Amino acid sequence: MGFIVIELLRSESVVTRFRVSGRTTVCEQSQRLSADSVAELPAFLEAAAAARREDDTIILAVEPSLLSCRELSLPLKERRKIREILPLELKGETACDTEELVFDCLMRGDGTQLAVWCRKRELSSRIELLGAVGLEPQLVTVAVCSWRHLLPPGDVKGTVLLADPSGAALYRDGEPLLFRTFWSQEPELEIRRSCAALDLTEGITVERIYLLGDLAGVALPGGEEGWLPLPMAAERESAFGGDYPAAVVGANAWAVVQAARKGELVNFRHGELACLSGSRGRRKKLMVSTVLAVIAIGIFCADLGLRYAFVRRDLESLNGSISSIYKELFPKRKKAVDEVGEVKSEIKRLSGAGAGIGALALLKKLAELKGDDITGFYETEIEGSQLQLKGDARSTQAVTEFKNRAGAALTGVEVSEIRTKPDGSATFTLRGTLKEEAR
């Protein structure tokens, strides 16, 4: 991914391009246009737009003179919520109506915040300028709010002032205290005035001053002690290929990119100034996804339709085969309502007829075995291999003798429910299992 930082400053306009890979940030190109060449600004920006890549994030860094700030102590920890209530919190305490302002804040380690704001109108005009050449920014900030990332590693203790020709940022133990704009053309004089004002009004003594931008290469009169060019940090040195002058001049843009990557960037592109190009891009991607989803659903439905057609064709072919077989089996019958049902019924009927033939043979065998003393059978049930027989006998002795003779055709013969009548005859129930040869 990439970042294009566009600085529209009072003295110049700067476009710096970075590429980011993992934790590495590399400056690919930096171009500057003096404020004296304002007529060339559109062409300058159009050239930057022509070199833009699709994955580039565009950040607009405006002049620090547009920025105002104030220290607050709100019982909140989320920047988004703080940003939403700042217009109410600061209502009546700003130079103009809060409805004309756009707010953000910087969080401090002690739980307090530094509220910052700009005029919507002034930011809007610069956003429109970039949008007209195809460089609409996704983020709008003031670079001075990101200078915490320029503090020399291991040297953040105490009170430190960072300054360039446009303004200064004061830090105590790495936490921002205030930001200030330099209005005169003598930044070194502005630095002295700032230090004196802090000492007199706030009792704050500036211990070290680091100079960046064009100030880093200027020989300051008097050789003030503690005034040092911005040291070269290893990460920034790597980003600018070890070129110290380029690293000092491009420190603003580098700090902005670091803040953006870590989610700490002060961003005024929200509310009425919210970026719509990203929303359009997301809508376009969503539209593409929707079209693909519709195509996928269409393919799925077409596949289901084809499968249904094939199954229906197979069923029709099967039904035709069944009808043909039915006509061959029963040529004299008219067309049946359910050919399969009728064929099954005929098979059952034929199977039942076979079973009946076997039952008749068994009953014939039992009739031969009953002798004269068994006067008759009045109820016979055959279920599978089980037989239950009810009959009449001349006596109970005749029933016992018939039980013994029935062993020729049955196994496990049992006689029960023997009832004697007044005339000495008896009724009985006989149960048994058909032998294999009798089935």
Side-chain angles (χ1 to χ4, degrees):
M1 63 178 297
F3 288 90
I4 299 177
V5 181
I6 304 173
E7 301 175 68
L8 297 182
L9 308 176
R10 185 173 53 200
S11 59
E12 62 180 353
S13 298
V14 185
V15 176
T16 310
R17 190 186 313 277
F18 293 90
R19 296 304 295 175
V20 176
S21 178
R23 297 184 179 181
T24 305
T25 303
V26 177
C27 177
E28 290 187 330
Q29 187 182 31
S30 182
Q31 297 174 303
R32 309 177 73 179
L33 179 69
S34 172
D36 298 334
S37 306
V38 65
E40 302 175 15
L41 182 59
F44 176 73
L45 295 176
E46 287 174 1
R52 177 189 178 184
R53 298 185 180 96
E54 185 177 354
D55 63 345
D56 285 338
T57 298
I58 301 174
I59 304 176
L60 169 62
V62 297
E63 171 66 35
S65 61
L66 305 181
L67 183 73
S68 299
C69 64
R70 178 179 171 177
E71 184 179 4
L72 291 174
S73 180
L74 299 174
L76 297 173
K77 295 183 179 180
E78 293 186 29
R79 285 181 60 188
R80 179 183 58 81
K81 293 183 179 178
I82 295 173
R83 188 171 63 193
E84 290 174 355
I85 68 169
L86 281 177
L88 297 175
E89 183 71 20
L90 298 175
K91 192 172 184 65
E93 299 185 25
T94 55
C96 59
D97 196 329
T98 54
E99 294 181 359
E100 300 177 13
L101 306 175
V102 57
F103 294 86
D104 204 343
C105 72
L106 288 169
M107 308 298 291
R108 291 172 168 174
D110 60 359
T112 61
Q113 305 87 25
L114 191 63
V116 292
W117 63 89
C118 293
R119 291 176 182 266
K120 294 179 182 177
R121 183 179 66 253
E122 294 171 337
L123 295 182
S124 180
S125 62
R126 289 161 174 80
I127 292 172
E128 291 174 0
L129 172 64
L130 296 182
V133 297
L135 284 175
E136 183 176 0
Q138 289 98 326
L139 305 169
V140 177
T141 189
V142 180
V144 69
C145 296
S146 303
W147 281 1
R148 186 180 69 82
H149 297 280
L150 298 177
L151 292 172
D155 190 23
V156 297
K157 295 297 182 181
T159 306
V160 180
L161 186 77
L162 300 181
D164 75 353
S166 63
L170 183 68
Y171 294 88
R172 175 183 291 163
D173 297 333
E175 300 293 344
L177 287 182
L178 61 85
F179 305 117
R180 188 179 178 200
T181 300
F182 295 159
W183 294 97
S184 74
Q185 300 299 319
E186 299 178 356
E188 61 273 14
L189 179 60
E190 291 281 2
I191 294 173
R192 294 192 190 95
R193 288 175 177 172
S194 299
C195 293
L198 288 170
D199 190 18
L200 291 173
T201 61
E202 304 291 340
I204 298 175
T205 301
V206 177
E207 300 173 16
R208 293 178 301 283
I209 298 175
Y210 291 111
L211 306 177
L212 55 145
D214 292 338
L215 273 185
V218 175
L220 297 175
E224 289 86 346
E225 185 177 355
W227 292 43
L228 303 170
L230 182 67
M232 176 74 83
E235 190 175 358
R236 191 156 43 88
E237 179 181 9
S238 174
F240 290 90
D243 187 344
Y244 177 77
V248 172
V249 172
N252 262 357
W254 186 85
V256 166
V257 171
Q258 297 309 304
R261 292 186 64 190
K262 296 178 181 179
E264 302 173 359
L265 185 71
V266 167
N267 179 29
F268 297 111
R269 198 84 208 263
H270 58 82
E272 293 181 15
L273 299 181
C275 180
L276 300 178
S277 60
S279 299
R280 287 194 293 268
R282 285 191 292 271
R283 284 197 297 270
K284 183 177 179 181
K285 292 180 180 178
L286 182 61
M287 181 63 70
V288 172
S289 300
T290 303
V291 171
L292 293 176
V294 170
I295 292 174
I297 292 172
I299 293 173
F300 178 71
C301 293
D303 180 64
L304 284 180
L306 290 173
R307 288 174 182 268
Y308 175 77
F310 292 150
V311 170
R312 184 173 181 179
R313 185 187 63 185
D314 292 343
L315 288 175
E316 290 176 353
S317 174
L318 181 60
N319 289 334
S321 300
I322 291 172
S323 298
S324 177
I325 293 171
Y326 182 82
K327 290 178 181 178
E328 292 178 4
L329 292 173
F330 312 109
K332 296 182 179 180
R333 291 189 184 181
K334 295 181 179 180
K335 180 174 176 61
V337 177
D338 182 6
E339 292 94 340
V340 175
E342 288 199 17
V343 171
K344 286 183 177 179
S345 177
E346 289 294 332
I347 292 173
K348 279 186 177 182
R349 186 177 65 79
L350 292 173
S351 299
I357 293 172
L360 290 175
L362 174 62
L363 292 175
K364 181 180 179 183
K365 178 72 174 176
L366 291 173
E368 294 173 353
L369 294 174
K370 72 181 182 68
D372 295 333
D373 292 336
I374 303 298
T375 57
F377 303 134
Y378 60 85
E379 184 178 321
T380 305
E381 291 182 13
I382 300 176
E383 185 175 347
S385 62
Q386 299 299 314
L387 169 69
Q388 178 174 291
L389 189 67
K390 293 183 180 181
D392 295 320
R394 296 186 186 278
S395 64
T396 56
Q397 179 63 30
V399 174
T400 303
E401 293 174 356
F402 175 65
K403 173 185 176 183
N404 295 332
R405 291 194 299 272
L410 303 173
T411 60
V413 180
E414 295 179 357
V415 175
S416 61
E417 300 179 15
I418 300 177
R419 294 185 179 89
T420 304
K421 297 180 181 180
D423 60 356
S425 63
T427 62
F428 66 92
T429 299
L430 182 143
R431 296 183 181 85
T433 303
L434 278 68
K435 290 185 177 180
E436 188 68 27
E437 62 271 15
R439 295 183 188 179

